[in-house]
């Protein structure tokens, strides 16, 4: 079973953020978030990003129910940034690539869980806060 852990990039970062933009260009993958106070926070994945997906949280009812049943409501509902181990998304990538990447790279599964979006990124490096 997947194990979700809260991920703290900066202790001053608000626990809850909302996605404003997802930009994939020559500079890397950028995720732009705002806080309830309209402060803007940008995360840049400038390392190897093997895959990412953005899913409307309303379509992940089964997954979110499983999370809320396994973890306390505040653990999931009051936080945005997570790392996932024993990831089914990472298993999917390994299967699709015929496990060629996992013998060369250490790939992490990062999740940005907001009230409207669930952005998941499979990357060799964590994003930097810019």
């Amino acid at each position: 079973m997947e194990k979700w852990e809260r991920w703290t990039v900066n202790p001053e970062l608000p626990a809850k953020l909302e996605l404003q933009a997802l930009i994939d260009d020559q500079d890397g993958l950028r995720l732009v978030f705002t806080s309830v106070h309209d402060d803007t926070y940008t995360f840049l994945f400038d390392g190897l990003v093997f895959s990412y997906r953005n899913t409307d949280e309303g379509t992940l009812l089964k997954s979110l129910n499983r999370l809320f049943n396994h973890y306390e409501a505040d653990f999931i509902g009051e936080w945005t940034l997570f790392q996932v181990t024993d990831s089914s998304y990472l298993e999917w990538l390994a299967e699709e690539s015929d496990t060629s990447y996992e013998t060369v790279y250490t790939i992490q599964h990062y999740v940005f869980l907001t009230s409207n979006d669930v952005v998941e990124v499979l990357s060799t490096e964590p994003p930097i806060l810019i």
Side-chain angles (χ1 to χ4, degrees):
M1 179 176 178
E2 291 186 337
K3 182 178 179 191
W4 286 51
E5 295 178 10
R6 284 183 171 185
W7 174 50
T8 304
V9 175
N10 179 327
E12 296 179 17
L13 192 69
K16 287 302 291 177
L17 299 169
E18 290 300 323
L19 183 66
Q20 298 303 310
L22 185 152
I23 304 156
D24 185 357
D25 61 16
Q26 70 275 5
D27 295 327
L29 176 64
R30 283 177 284 151
L31 305 174
V32 181
F33 294 89
T34 56
S35 69
V36 294
H37 302 293
D38 290 328
D39 296 321
T40 301
Y41 302 92
T42 302
F43 293 85
L44 172 65
F45 285 91
D46 62 351
L48 287 173
V49 173
F50 289 96
S51 181
Y52 65 88
R53 60 187 178 192
N54 180 14
T55 309
D56 181 280
E57 52 76 39
T59 62
L60 294 175
L61 295 177
K62 182 178 177 183
S63 296
L64 292 174
N65 282 335
R66 187 173 55 248
L67 286 172
F68 280 109
N69 287 332
H70 189 70
Y71 298 97
E72 292 183 25
D74 287 350
F75 178 81
I76 297 295
E78 299 300 322
W79 201 257
T80 298
L81 308 175
F82 296 91
Q83 277 189 280
V84 180
T85 54
D86 296 324
S87 161
S88 60
Y89 188 24
L90 195 49
E91 287 176 16
W92 167 84
L93 179 72
E95 186 176 311
E96 286 296 316
S97 67
D98 202 20
T99 67
S100 61
Y101 290 127
E102 61 182 62
T103 59
V104 178
Y105 300 104
T106 301
I107 304 169
Q108 298 294 317
H109 181 182
Y110 300 94
V111 178
F112 300 81
L113 179 63
T114 73
S115 61
N116 295 308
D117 297 277
V118 180
V119 180
E120 299 176 78
V121 181
L122 299 180
S123 177
T124 58
E125 301 293 329
I128 55 174
L129 186 60
I130 56 172

